[in-house]
Amino acid sequence: MHYELLIRGGTVIDGTRAARFEADVGVQGDRIAAVGDLAAASAERVVDATGQIVAPGFIDSHTHDDRALLAQADMSFKVSQGVTTVVAGNCGISAAPLRPDMELPMPLNLLDVPHGERFTTFRAYLDALRRAPAAVNVAALVGHSTLRAVTMGALEREATQKEVAAMRGLLEEALDAGAIGLSSGTFYPPAAKATTEEIIEVGRPLSGTRGLYVTHMRDESSRVMEALAETFRIGRELGVTVVVSHHKVQNRPNFGRSRETLPFIRETMRRQKVCLDCYPYTAGSTMIRTDRGMLDGRVLIASSEPHPQCAGRDLDDIAREWGVPEAEAARRLQPGTAIYFLMDEDDVRRILAFDETMIGSDGIPVGDMPHPRLWGTFPRVLGHYARDVALFPLETAVWKMTGLTARNFGLTGRGTLAEGQHADLVVFDAATIRDAATYEHPTRAADGIRSVIVNGSVAWQQGRHTGARSGQVITRQPA
Ligand code: ZN
Ligand code: CU
């Protein structure tokens, strides 16, 4: 046999949680053509994987890459980690639909979409991605906060029936175009006033479509159990799968409460479809805000429009220099983004180790000082948590970022390494893989990623991007 690409001599971890096995992998076009002993085969291009793991390309279940896919299409911050597919449009925020003239309230402006480059329909956004492919595949959600912002004049209130109907129409358009579901972010000001009923009524078109409801919940702090109950209720009323995004329990009085949330999630999973994801850090990152206990721990400024030179500095240090309280300094730094150290390591480990937890970075690809999760999430789970901390076997770690994610999001033909699947592959060194991005140096590429292949094209090789942009737009499968 002759293949276009042959990955020789590696150990396959196939993304199903099955034990690893020795096999060569042959690729023809954008598909895996054979898995097994291919010693007799020839190929146009051979990747030597001796001593390496060969796995399905990683799927980042939670991203804010909507705009980066077009503006930073090489997607080095993801490809360098072995990521070959991203789920965009999370936390209620999506790049479409938007009006060219509208001002984007925080946190919608985190996506950094310039006025002149906006898409008024979801279809136009997906078409732009097809015309100018990124280096990774994308499956996209439409954001409820985005729908509110395009539909409602004022966001500090519940939507009227007319507005709900308009949002429902926009959701229908997005689903017809191929969106994989609806995301919400009731934690954030633009959707905080949306009631449970509003979300259910806007979400009606999801029913019967295999579309998901994905949420940055109203509360991940003292009222996290109520927020979970609300999420489950929305899933039940719509008859859809729910995804609890970046599950966490934050602020010191709530440390340890993953002992309550995880059993509640487990118990609910018996009656309805519930999924969750998590990033492997004790700090989160989002817009600069002073309410809801966000300033209770160490705060590191990641970006600030009025004071760009403050990026990378601690808020308490800036406040001291300015001679003002921290909350006042934070207000002066707005709009911007910050990194908040509000989680307990034991909770992070408990949630990561929960068998149904997927890995999602939640990275925000804006500015020079992002949270290190943007460049480090996947190697950190494989190197730090699976190998060094021994939180779970490597096969489980890979499954949490491939097979489990593809199954939950309905990404047919991806997430497992088998004949006929899309040739999204990563070759990595299990002994040396390691996240190199830190809070001080957040944009360092990880160690130990040898080759990354997206739809049969090599995108990353020996620590460098090849320039390949072979990503595809993944649309929702019909019900
Ligand atoms: Zn979020
Ligand atoms: Cu997010």
Side-chain angles (χ1 to χ4, degrees):
M1 269 308 286
H2 186 79
Y3 298 103
E4 282 168 40
L5 177 71
L6 185 54
I7 303 168
R8 240 197 241 287
T11 299
V12 169
I13 292 183
D14 70 2
T16 67
R17 236 184 337 184
R20 63 192 79 181
F21 56 95
E22 311 289 308
D24 307 317
V25 179
V27 172
Q28 209 71 277
D30 67 353
R31 299 278 172 162
I32 296 172
V35 182
D37 182 355
L38 306 175
S42 58
E44 269 137 72
R45 182 167 186 175
V46 175
V47 172
D48 178 16
T50 309
Q52 309 288 307
I53 301 292
V54 184
F58 306 144
I59 301 169
D60 191 340
S61 65
H62 186 106
T63 84
H64 295 286
D65 294 339
D66 308 46
R67 165 73 185 155
L69 289 157
L70 293 166
Q72 307 172 57
D74 64 49
M75 296 290 290
S76 291
F77 51 90
K78 290 292 161 71
V79 174
S80 63
Q81 300 182 57
V83 170
T84 57
T85 299
V86 301
V87 177
N90 280 285
C91 299
I93 311 161
S94 57
L98 292 175
R99 280 194 315 274
D101 61 318
M102 66 193 284
E103 290 306 319
L104 299 184
M106 261 296 183
L108 270 64
N109 56 359
L110 288 183
L111 291 184
D112 207 22
V113 186
H115 288 273
E117 294 168 45
R118 293 194 183 155
F119 304 99
T120 54
T121 65
F122 210 79
R123 188 174 302 277
Y125 170 64
L126 294 184
D127 282 344
L129 286 166
R130 290 188 186 100
R131 269 198 308 276
V136 297
N137 305 306
V138 55
L141 300 156
V142 60
H144 166 249
S145 295
T146 299
L147 298 184
R148 285 192 123 227
V150 280
T151 305
M152 300 169 64
L155 299 170
E156 300 284 285
R157 57 173 176 80
E158 190 184 346
T160 63
Q161 289 216 337
K162 224 176 129 194
E163 289 160 341
V164 167
M167 287 191 264
R168 203 187 290 137
L170 294 171
L171 171 59
E172 253 168 52
E173 186 275 328
L175 291 172
D176 284 346
I180 61 162
L182 174 72
S183 78
S184 74
T186 39
F187 171 75
Y188 291 108
K193 291 278 161 61
T195 58
T196 313
E197 286 69 26
E198 173 185 321
I199 295 167
I200 292 168
E201 291 312 318
V202 171
R204 288 285 174 210
L206 292 170
S207 299
T209 66
R210 280 177 134 199
L212 304 114
Y213 173 66
V214 180
T215 181
H216 181 157
M217 301 191 301
R218 213 176 277 282
D219 195 297
E220 296 172 305
S221 184
S222 57
R223 297 179 60 81
V224 64
M225 293 295 277
E226 291 87 337
L228 283 169
E230 179 188 29
T231 300
F232 301 155
R233 185 187 150 210
I234 292 167
R236 278 196 308 276
E237 302 258 357
L238 295 174
V240 300
T241 297
V242 300
V243 180
V244 176
S245 294
H246 44 59
H247 182 46
K248 62 172 90 69
V249 282
Q250 67 184 25
N251 300 99
R252 190 166 291 277
N254 301 299
F255 286 4
R257 290 191 65 199
S258 56
R259 284 197 198 85
E260 289 170 62
T261 61
L262 294 173
F264 184 32
I265 290 169
R266 168 97 64 207
E267 153 68 16
T268 306
M269 280 173 169
R270 289 202 216 130
R271 295 184 300 274
Q272 66 185 97
K273 187 82 176 104
V274 180
C275 311
L276 71 160
D277 61 60
C278 174
Y279 49 79
Y281 297 87
T282 54
S285 179
T286 188
M287 60 187 272
I288 298 175
R289 60 190 294 182
T290 56
D291 59 339
R292 310 199 60 171
M294 294 301 281
L295 304 185
D296 287 359
R298 179 186 169 204
V299 179
L300 187 58
I301 299 302
S303 69
S304 164
E305 264 178 45
H307 301 280
Q309 73 286 359
C310 288
R313 288 184 63 192
D314 273 64
L315 178 64
D316 68 350
D317 186 42
I318 298 165
R320 214 173 307 122
E321 185 185 298
W322 291 352
V324 297
E326 283 188 28
E328 175 55 26
R331 266 187 291 279
R332 292 185 191 177
L333 289 158
Q334 286 169 330
T337 56
I339 296 165
Y340 304 90
F341 293 79
L342 288 173
M343 285 173 259
D344 181 42
E345 175 71 22
D346 289 342
D347 285 314
V348 172
R349 290 187 184 192
R350 203 174 290 119
I351 294 168
L352 276 176
F354 185 71
D355 52 7
E356 295 285 336
T357 303
M358 304 177 281
I359 308 302
S361 70
D362 200 11
I364 303 168
V366 176
D368 299 328
M369 292 300 288
H371 188 302
R373 65 194 181 182
L374 181 67
W375 287 77
T377 290
F378 295 84
R380 183 168 172 80
V381 170
L382 298 166
H384 178 65
Y385 282 113
R387 181 191 58 227
D388 299 343
V389 176
L391 202 55
F392 31 64
L394 192 58
E395 283 84 347
T396 301
V398 168
W399 178 70
K400 285 172 170 289
M401 48 185 80
T402 57
L404 175 65
T405 317
R407 188 191 75 196
N408 286 344
F409 283 92
L411 311 179
T412 316
R414 307 198 191 254
T416 56
L417 197 166
E419 200 182 309
Q421 293 285 84
H422 285 270
D424 295 339
L425 298 159
V426 53
V427 179
F428 67 92
D429 185 339
T432 62
I433 192 165
R434 179 184 82 91
D435 55 305
T438 62
Y439 293 101
E440 293 72 34
H441 302 283
T443 61
R444 285 184 180 155
D447 297 329
I449 301 284
R450 295 300 174 86
S451 305
V452 182
I453 294 145
V454 182
N455 297 305
S457 299
V458 179
W460 187 265
Q461 182 73 13
Q462 309 295 357
R464 298 187 52 149
H465 205 294
T466 65
R469 291 180 183 182
S470 53
Q472 298 176 356
V473 174
I474 302 171
T475 52
R476 199 184 69 268
Q477 296 297 311

